[in-house]
Structures are given as C-alpha cells and as structure tokens.
DNA sequence: GAGTCGTGGAC
DNA sequence: TGTCCAAGACT
C-alpha cells in the first residue's frame, strides 16, 4: 500500500505509471510488464550490472556486461575464474578495484552463501565492492525490498524536486531523507529504476526536459526556475600534470615484455608496460640496459585527479630475458592489446602506428 | 572527510 | 581544447 504520510501527493504512483510506459530496455532489466507477471531478476546479473555501472555510463557497460555473462553465466563460474582473465575482461572499463572486489565478492557469495546473494541491505553492505548505493540497488531491484537508492541521478532529482540549494556532497544526508520518504512499499524495485531512469533521461544535468517530466507539476525547482543550476556542487581542485616513461621491449619472434601491476593503487592488478614513476620530473627507469629508442610522439591521458604525458621508448627484447619475477614474457599469440588498461593500450597504439 | 581511483562521450 | 559528468567504494 502507498505511504500517504510520506507521499501525500502520490508521487511514487505517478512516476511508476510513467515508468510502465517509458522504461528503457536494458540487458539486465526485467521490464515492468514482465515483473508484473511474476518474473524475477537474476540477482547475479543485477549485482554485476550495478558494479559495472558505478560511475560508468550505460553505453560503456553494455558490451562488457554481455561478455562477462556469456563467459561467466553464474556467480559460481565467476568465482572459479582466473584473476588475470577477469582483469583482462575488465580492461578498458576503468576503476579496476571494482574488478578485484568483484572477484572477491563472487568467491564470498559462492563459499559462504552457497552462491545466493543475501537480500538485506546490511548483509549486502558487508560484501567487497558493495557500498550503500549498490546494497540498496540489489535489495530493491533484485529482491523488490523497499530500500532507497541514492545515486547521482536520485540526488539530482531530489535536489530539483525540493529545490535544495545546499551543495553536494554536504547535502547528501538531506537528499537521502527526502528520497527515503518517497520510497513506496509497493513495487520498490521498479520505483528505484524509475527515479534513476528519470534522472538519466529527462531530469538530465545540463538541459532537463521539464516540459515532459512526470513530476513537472510538483517540482519546486521548475517553479522557481532553478532546475538547470541544481544540484550545486563544491568546486573541484585543478588537475596537475605528471610525466612518465614506458618501455616497450619486443623480441624478434614477437614476444613482449609486460608486468603485472601491484594490486593496490592506480591500475592495480592490471597488465602494463614497465616504466618510470609518474611525477613532475621522472627519472628514467628501463627494465634492462639497452639502446632504448624514443618513439617521438607522446601518450596523453587524463585520470581522475591528474593529467599524464608518457614518453614511449622501444628496444629489442633479448632471447630468454625476464629481468625480474614481476615481468612477464608474453608470446605474440597470447598478447591482446584489449587486455591492457587504456593508457597502456595508447602506448601500444603509438608503437603500432609507427 | 577529503583523496584516490579510469574512461569516453557530451558540450 | 578543457570541463563536466556517469546506477560510488574504499581509505
């Protein structure tokens, strides 16, 4: 039943009706029509999609989701995968701690929960890589429990609906309270997806389509004419520029010298080229002494909190030469540029274009 | 709580 | 070109 106390205007019913007619078809989604027929989502697919969607667009996730579910159809299959295979499949999607935690979580669910994801917010929150948002998303979307999702979309929608001036992230608790008050006990899973869909399509950051919004009448920001400028955010720090060197050593038979990066820190657990530190003025640090030739061009890449300019140096890899244990000699047939994080793939692309 | 952690598309 | 932003988590 509807919560008349917290939702006197029946906003949740209204947006659910909108969702019934406008829900986007997504690979991991059960349509509202199918849900009404009693079809339940696969919690494994909901969990996988939600982790992939953290700070990532639907468009970027789709192909990865298909490859992962095709290769590992169940959480038990994923739990049994080799670490390197999962990292390689995740390559290019970014935020690689997600992939490491994904595998940890799959193994916990397999070993300690018999392959069945828990249903409650608190139990989900204890799993690796599952924070407040993802716990609420799995609980509501996969199990249809009345938890409140608070992602960037919901924050924006609530800030506008109630015309909240206070800047994020400080205003987050207030927005959470407002969002919780609207969460219905009826169809909470569809409701969660409805609010996020609204934020992703109509109530967009730059130019919201208020004219066709199902909540245009009750929206206080629309009345006040402030929708486009909400939510306010505290200003960000400028990004410094760092420099570095990477070393591409290729043998005459096509073998490459790569390294597995340490699990913690930037690009943790991913393959990469041996290289220098990344700093304002990095010291050269070739993996072995040789006549390293500068490729000439530069690799430019921007991370979350700094810009990077890489100098690419190349030489021939001596026969039977793995300098240290962390280095890997990868045969040409086993080398797939798609296994590399994007910044490392850019360095390869520069070599390839020469 | 502020820093860290990727990438690509939109504007 | 640069900036912002995306279904955030972890430290």
């Amino acid at each position: 039943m509807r919560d008349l106390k917290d939702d006197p205007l029946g906003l949740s019913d209204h947006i659910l009706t909108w969702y019934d007619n406008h829900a986007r078809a997504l690979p991991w989604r059960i349509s509202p029509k199918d849900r009404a027929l009693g079809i339940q989502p696969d919690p494994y697919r909901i969990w996988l999609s939600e982790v992939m969607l953290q700070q990532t667009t639907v468009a970027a996730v789709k192909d990865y989701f298909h490859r992962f579910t095709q290769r590992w159809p169940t959480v038990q299959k994923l739990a049994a995968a080799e670490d390197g295979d999962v990292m390689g499949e995740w390559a290019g999607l970014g935020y690689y701690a997600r992939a490491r935690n994904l595998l940890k979580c799959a193994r916990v669910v397999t070993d300690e929960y018999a392959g069945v994801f828990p249903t409650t917010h608190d139990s989900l929150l204890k799993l690796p890589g599952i924070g407040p948002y993802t716990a609420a998303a799995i609980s509501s979307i996969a199990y249809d429990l009345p938890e409140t999702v608070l992602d960037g979309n919901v924050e924006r929608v609530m800030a506008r609906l109630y015309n909240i001036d206070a800047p994020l992230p400080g205003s987050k608790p207030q927005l959470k309270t407002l969002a919780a008050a609207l969460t219905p006990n009826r169809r909470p899973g569809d409701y969660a997806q409805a609010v996020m869909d609204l934020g992703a399509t109509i109530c967009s950051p730059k130019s919201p389509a208020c004219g066709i919004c199902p909540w245009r009448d009750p929206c206080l920001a629309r009345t006040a004419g402030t929708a486009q400028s909400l939510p306010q955010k505290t200003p960000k720090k400028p990004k410094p520029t760092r420099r570095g060197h990477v070393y591409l050593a290729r043998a005459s038979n096509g073998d490459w010298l790569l390294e597995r990066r340490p699990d913690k820190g930037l690009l943790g657990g991913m393959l990469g080229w041996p290289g220098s530190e990344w700093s304002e003025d990095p010291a050269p640090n070739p993996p072995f002494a040789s006549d390293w030739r500068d490729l000439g061009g530069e690799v430019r890449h921007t991370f979350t909190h700094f810009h990077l300019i890489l100098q690419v140096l190349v030489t021939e890899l001596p026969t039977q030469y793995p300098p240290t244990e962390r280095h890997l000699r990868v045969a040409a047939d086993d080398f797939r540029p798609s296994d590399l994080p994007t910044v490392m793939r850019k360095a390869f692309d520069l070599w390839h274009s020469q």
Side-chain angles (χ1 to χ4, degrees):
Chain A
M1 69 184 344
R2 200 170 70 203
D3 299 321
L4 287 175
K5 176 173 178 294
D6 288 333
D7 185 9
L9 302 180
L11 298 187
S12 67
D13 281 348
H14 198 177
I15 200 178
L16 278 166
T17 299
W18 171 81
Y19 182 72
D20 285 338
N21 296 313
H22 297 87
R24 293 178 294 171
L26 298 173
W28 46 85
R29 172 174 287 176
I30 301 297
S31 72
K33 187 173 296 182
D34 283 348
R35 232 189 227 275
L37 295 174
I39 298 176
Q40 303 295 332
D42 177 356
Y44 168 66
R45 292 165 63 89
I46 297 302
W47 162 72
L48 178 61
S49 67
E50 289 301 341
V51 173
M52 287 183 167
L53 285 164
Q54 290 168 6
Q55 297 292 286
T56 309
T57 58
V58 167
V61 162
K62 279 186 177 171
D63 288 348
Y64 284 86
F65 181 82
H66 283 127
R67 284 197 292 270
F68 266 73
T69 53
Q70 185 144 350
R71 187 165 179 179
W72 301 295
T74 67
V75 68
Q76 291 97 336
K77 295 278 191 186
L78 180 59
E82 297 283 342
D83 291 31
D85 289 340
V86 173
M87 300 311 288
E89 206 65 75
W90 196 277
L93 198 53
Y95 283 135
Y96 297 101
R98 293 185 296 172
R100 300 194 302 274
N101 287 328
L102 188 83
L103 200 39
K104 280 187 198 168
C105 184
R107 288 168 178 163
V108 172
V109 169
T110 296
D111 296 342
E112 299 179 19
Y113 290 89
V116 181
F117 280 85
T119 64
T120 68
H121 186 274
D122 284 356
S123 52
L124 287 162
L125 199 52
K126 292 175 181 151
L127 296 171
I130 297 184
Y133 164 76
T134 305
I138 296 172
S139 197
S140 62
I141 297 172
Y143 294 114
D144 217 19
L145 296 173
E147 295 292 338
T148 300
V149 294
L150 189 69
D151 71 331
N153 290 308
V154 180
E155 288 172 356
R156 183 171 57 257
V157 170
M158 292 301 138
R160 288 173 176 172
L161 183 60
Y162 294 103
N163 197 26
I164 305 298
D165 281 316
L168 284 166
S171 59
K172 200 165 176 172
Q174 182 184 7
L175 299 175
K176 170 81 175 185
T177 300
L178 294 170
L182 288 184
T183 302
N185 289 319
R186 189 178 71 91
R187 302 179 62 191
D190 280 342
Y191 173 80
Q193 296 175 91
V195 184
M196 291 191 284
D197 265 24
L198 184 72
T201 58
I202 290 176
C203 196
S204 56
K206 298 285 175 63
S207 52
C210 299
I212 58 171
C213 180
W215 279 352
R216 74 167 174 258
D217 288 343
C219 183
L220 297 184
R222 179 171 181 271
T223 305
T226 54
Q228 196 150 359
S229 63
L230 295 177
Q232 308 229 26
K233 298 192 175 181
T234 55
K236 309 173 180 178
K237 291 175 55 178
K239 297 178 182 185
T241 297
R242 299 180 191 170
R243 297 171 187 277
H245 308 148
V246 287
Y247 299 91
L248 276 60
R250 182 174 182 270
S252 51
N253 69 352
D255 291 359
W256 288 101
L257 185 67
L258 289 158
E259 65 178 17
R260 179 69 64 182
R261 298 173 62 86
D263 271 345
K264 293 193 174 182
L266 195 66
L267 309 180
M270 299 300 291
L271 285 176
W273 306 108
S276 69
E277 56 170 353
W278 296 346
S279 62
E280 194 169 316
D281 185 23
N285 184 31
F288 57 88
S290 181
D291 180 23
W292 292 94
R293 179 175 67 88
D294 192 333
L295 267 187
E298 285 175 339
V299 167
R300 290 177 173 272
H301 193 76
T302 299
F303 293 99
T304 310
H305 52 292
F306 66 92
H307 303 285
L308 180 65
I309 301 175
L310 284 180
Q311 190 179 338
V312 181
L313 299 106
V314 298
T315 197
E316 182 167 332
L317 179 64
T319 310
Q320 300 297 329
Y321 201 102
T324 74
E325 196 166 300
R326 204 168 89 234
H327 290 97
L328 307 166
R329 189 183 184 102
V330 179
D333 284 347
D334 296 332
F335 175 66
R336 292 190 307 280
S338 63
D339 283 345
L340 301 175
T342 298
V343 64
M344 299 295 175
R345 188 181 49 73
K346 283 183 180 176
F348 172 77
D349 289 345
L350 186 62
W351 171 85
H352 197 259
S353 67
Q354 300 274 313

